[in-house]
Amino acid sequence: SVAFHCKTVGKCFSQSQTISEIILGDEVESLRDEAFYGCTNLTTVSLSINLSYINYRTFSGCTALKTIVIPDKVGTIEGEAFKDCDNLSYVYIGKGVLSINSAAFANCPSLSEVYCYTSKVPRTDSSAFDASDVKNAKLFVSENLLTSYKASAPWSYFSSVVTLTGESGENEDGDNIAGKIVDIVGCIFGSSDSSQRDALDLNKDKVVNVSDIIYLINGENEDPQESADSWFFYPTCPDSHHPHMIDLG
C-alpha cells in the first residue's frame, strides 16, 4: 500500500499491477490525468480533503475498486474518471461537486448505490453513467432535492431516488447499513460529532476512512496492524512511471 504526502500526484503508478491500496494525505491538492489508470488490483482509495477536482481517467480501469468517497472540496469529476471500474458498487459524492463530465462513471456494471451530498443537482453529462446498471441502483440525495434529481437525466434513470438518512440512522427503506455508511461518510467529510469517531472506527485502526465502509459492506475482519505494516509513504511524487522504485509486497 502507498501513502502520498505531496502537492501533486503524477502518473507514477499508472497501470501498476501491484498497488492495492492508496491514501492521499491532506497535502495532496491535485492529481494528473490517468494518475492511477489501469491499476487493476487497486481495491481501496482514500482521497485528500483538499482535492479540487478528479482528473480525466484518474481511476479508469481500476477493476477491483469497490468504493469511492469524493471529498467536499472537489468541484468537478472529469470525463472517464471512473470508467470501466467493473466492481465499483458504492459512490459518495461530496457537497462541493458542481459538474460530472462525460462517461465519468460509464461501464461500471456493479454500481449499486450512489450518495449525493450536493447542495444542488450537479451539471451532469448525459453519458456519465452509460453502460452502468443504474436501472437497478439506488440514488440517495438531500430531501429538498428529491424532486429535482428525479426530473434530471441521467439521475432519473436510477431505479429509485430516496432521501439520505437522518440522525435516526435509517433511510426510507429502513436500511441500517446504508444509515451507518452515511454516518461514516459524514465523519470522513468532517460533518459528524467527533465523539462518534470511536463508534464509527469499525475496523479499529484508529482512523475513520473508506476502509471502514468496506469493512461494513463486506463484513471483513482484517488485522489493522497487518495493514499498517504494509504502508509505503511517498513524500515526493515522481511524474514518470517507475514500478521498480518500491517493493509493495
Side-chain angles (χ1 to χ4, degrees), residues 132-195:
S132 294
D133 194 20
V134 295
K135 289 185 177 180
N136 291 307
K138 287 185 178 181
L139 174 64
F140 297 83
V141 302
S142 299
E143 185 174 2
N144 64 318
L145 294 176
L146 197 59
T147 302
S148 297
Y149 272 100
K150 287 182 176 181
S152 303
W155 303 105
S156 57
Y157 304 154
F158 280 75
S159 66
S160 61
V161 183
V162 298
T163 60
L164 291 164
T165 63
E167 294 182 357
S168 64
E170 292 189 355
N171 59 34
E172 289 183 354
D173 298 329
D175 187 344
N176 287 310
I177 291 180
K180 181 68 75 173
I181 288 173
V182 172
D183 289 340
I184 293 171
V185 174
C187 193
I188 294 171
F189 288 160
S191 58
S192 293
D193 192 309
S194 59
S195 63

Side-chain angles (χ1 to χ4, degrees), residues 77-84 100-106 108 127-129:
I77 301 174
E78 292 288 3
E80 301 185 24
F82 297 95
K83 183 182 178 183
D84 300 327
I100 301 175
N101 292 338
S102 61
F105 295 97
C108 297
S127 67
F129 296 98

Side-chain angles (χ1 to χ4, degrees), residues 169-235:
E170 292 189 355
N171 59 34
E172 289 183 354
D173 298 329
D175 187 344
N176 287 310
I177 291 180
K180 181 68 75 173
I181 288 173
V182 172
D183 289 340
I184 293 171
V185 174
C187 193
I188 294 171
F189 288 160
S191 58
S192 293
D193 192 309
S194 59
S195 63
Q196 294 181 312
R197 289 185 179 275
D198 287 345
L200 296 176
D201 181 17
L202 301 181
N203 62 359
K204 304 304 178 186
D205 62 354
K206 298 182 180 180
V207 63
V208 178
N209 57 25
V210 69
S211 65
D212 294 294
I213 297 174
I214 294 171
Y215 177 94
L216 178 65
I217 294 168
N218 297 336
E220 295 175 353
N221 189 22
E222 296 180 351
D223 181 353
Q225 186 59 46
E226 182 179 342
S227 297
D229 289 344
S230 67
W231 282 113
F232 181 94
F233 292 92
Y234 237 81

